[in-house]
Amino acid sequence: MFDPATLVFTFFTAQCAGTVALTAVWFINRQVPGIGCWVLARAVLGLGLLLFLLRIEIPLAASALISTSLVLLGHFLAIAGSRRFMERPQLPLRWIVLFFAVYLPVLGYFASVHPDSAIRHIVVSVALAGVSFLNVWSLWPDRDSVVRVSPRVMAGIYAFTGLLYVGRAGYQFSALAGHPLIDPTTDIVLVMLEGTAASVLIASTYITMVTEHLQADLRQQAETDPLTGLFNRRAFDRLAQRDVQTARRHHDPTFLLFLDLDRFKSVNDRFGHLAGDRVIVGLAETITACIRDTDLSARFGGEEFAVLLPRTSLDSAKTVAERIRQSLESKTFEGEGVAFSVTISIGMAALDGGQDDLSGLMRRADRALYSAKEAGRNQVVIAPRPVESGQQVA
């Protein structure tokens, strides 16, 4: 029904078509990490398939060793690309060297010294299953991964491929026992059909991964302050609204800090805007160093910043605010060849779970910040709770 040579050629054609499409995407989006490795991986895989097509013209031992080694090398290049894409450390080179140091002598022995097609197919299948599962491990996103959906799809494709190769190794064991479950021609047909389908799916999923990565980059640019790397006001409002709703639902103590540099205009006037930018970045770094990963920080614009502290007691929130204030005060900046320091005023408000929302929390933190400025700057002022709104701010 299926001619093995035709299926191998179809597999090769699909591999080449996918490589061309992925190469075009790479030329347009070279900033996406890993895509260059994927292009090279598919080219090497295609070369391995070409040598497999020429197996009649090449001695069996050379065909088995070279073509399958190129295919495996292509898989390792794909793994390298996947790990770059997912921002993970590369596999140690000694692992790959050790892999081929074991694989090549074993396969060569059963291809030339003691020819045995069943054992040879088992060795190749186990090797291909191993690199497929390595790709699954490299692609599966963790909690902090920005791109999450398409890597899971790709990991699923590689997991299915790995399981098929495990099954192929299994039914080749039956051939060793003298009761083959599948004849050699059917074996080649199944492998080529799976390979062709996987080649098309992998190429299209690579392109989907690139698209998702670009969308994540655009989303990050839209929600990130370019100078400090903190969230901007738009992102803060969205994420803080979520955290406040969660805090109200679980009655978690939550505090909002509004921070504003004191007399920042005079810094720009006296020392220049580059020095002012260094102060802004220094404050952002100070905030990041003083809060937890679960806290939320943002630059609202100019010299104004905000920090949301979910699941935080009053004493802990005071400690964080004072640590930020004191740490910034102790920093030294330089502008126009002159060293200088800056101070910051902080307004702090607690979420009242019964009747408060984000806008009310922001209004009270803003009033507390104004009180800190009026009281002489370089201090932390805590806003009264809503039930105490008739009282004067201390």
Side-chain angles (χ1 to χ4, degrees):
M1 182 177 179
F2 295 103
D3 176 48
T6 302
L7 288 175
V8 174
F9 180 76
T10 303
F11 187 1
F12 174 73
T13 303
Q15 187 73 17
C16 291
T19 303
V20 170
L22 194 59
T23 302
V25 173
W26 174 56
F27 273 116
I28 300 171
N29 305 285
R30 294 192 184 188
Q31 76 277 17
V32 177
I35 188 170
C37 289
W38 293 336
V39 170
L40 183 58
R42 292 188 64 87
V44 172
L45 282 166
L47 182 58
L49 287 172
L50 179 62
L51 290 176
F52 187 80
L53 275 171
L54 299 174
R55 67 191 185 280
I56 298 176
E57 308 296 332
I58 301 173
L60 176 62
S63 173
L65 283 171
I66 299 174
S67 64
T68 60
S69 295
L70 285 171
V71 169
L72 288 167
L73 179 60
H75 277 285
F76 277 113
L77 288 169
I79 291 169
S82 298
R83 298 190 74 82
R84 286 193 63 193
F85 183 86
M86 301 303 291
E87 298 182 347
R88 289 172 176 159
Q90 293 295 332
L91 295 176
L93 182 60
R94 62 180 179 275
W95 289 12
I96 302 173
V97 171
L98 179 62
F99 176 90
F100 282 105
V102 174
Y103 173 79
L104 291 174
V106 172
L107 187 66
Y109 178 80
F110 289 107
S112 57
V113 179
H114 189 277
D116 191 313
S117 61
I119 296 180
R120 192 170 66 248
H121 290 159
I122 290 171
V123 171
V124 173
S125 297
V126 169
L128 287 170
V131 293
S132 296
F133 292 133
L134 269 177
N135 228 325
V136 174
W137 175 54
S138 300
L139 283 163
W140 194 258
D142 54 30
R143 186 181 61 182
D144 299 325
S145 298
V146 176
V147 181
R148 304 179 64 84
V149 178
S150 50
R152 284 195 174 101
V153 174
M154 184 69 85
I157 295 171
Y158 275 111
F160 182 72
T161 300
L163 290 173
L164 285 179
Y165 280 116
V166 170
R168 186 186 186 221
Y171 66 68
Q172 289 295 339
F173 271 111
S174 68
L176 290 177
H179 305 287
L181 297 177
I182 298 177
D183 62 85
T185 301
T186 304
D187 174 54
I188 292 294
V189 167
L190 292 175
V191 170
M192 292 301 109
L193 285 174
E194 186 279 332
T196 304
S199 179
V200 173
L201 289 173
I202 288 171
S204 59
T205 308
Y206 276 147
I207 295 172
T208 304
M209 288 170 68
V210 172
T211 303
E212 189 178 353
H213 185 279
L214 294 173
Q215 290 175 342
D217 275 352
L218 290 174
R219 186 166 56 249
Q220 184 179 33
Q221 292 174 21
E223 296 187 341
T224 303
D225 174 63
L227 180 61
T228 63
L230 300 180
F231 286 120
N232 59 20
R233 174 66 183 269
R234 172 186 176 185
F236 182 87
D237 286 349
R238 177 176 62 83
L239 297 171
Q241 184 66 47
R242 177 202 63 190
D243 288 349
V244 165
Q245 290 175 351
T246 301
R248 291 183 63 183
R249 186 164 57 249
H250 297 289
H251 305 287
D252 293 329
T254 298
F255 287 83
L256 175 65
L257 311 182
F258 271 3
L259 309 90
D260 191 274
L261 285 161
D262 297 328
R263 299 184 175 91
F264 183 66
K265 184 177 183 301
S266 66
V267 172
N268 284 328
D269 292 343
R270 291 177 59 192
F271 305 110
H273 287 279
L274 289 178
D277 286 348
R278 286 194 290 270
V279 171
I280 293 292
V281 172
L283 174 54
E285 292 172 348
T286 299
I287 291 171
T288 302
C290 293
I291 64 176
R292 305 164 298 185
D293 292 341
T294 54
D295 298 329
L296 184 63
S297 60
R299 182 189 180 199
F300 275 17
E303 67 271 30
E304 300 175 354
F305 291 75
V307 176
L308 187 71
L309 305 172
R311 296 180 296 282
T312 304
S313 66
L314 174 60
D315 288 342
S316 296
K318 286 180 181 177
T319 300
V320 171
E322 279 295 337
R323 187 184 302 132
I324 293 172
R325 187 190 66 80
Q326 293 172 13
S327 297
L328 183 68
E329 188 178 19
S330 67
K331 284 179 177 288
T332 301
F333 300 92
E334 185 176 326
E336 302 293 336
V338 178
F340 66 94
S341 59
V342 295
T343 61
I344 191 170
S345 299
I346 301 176
M348 187 171 85
L351 177 69
D352 183 82
Q355 53 182 307
D356 218 355
D357 57 15
L358 180 59
S359 60
L361 186 62
M362 285 183 166
R363 283 194 298 270
R364 290 187 294 108
D366 190 54
R367 286 198 295 266
L369 175 60
Y370 179 79
S371 298
K373 294 285 189 181
E374 289 292 303
R377 298 180 175 86
N378 191 26
Q379 58 187 282
V380 178
V381 170
I382 304 173
R385 289 181 178 273
V387 293
E388 301 168 328
S389 57
Q391 300 177 8
Q392 295 293 321
V393 177

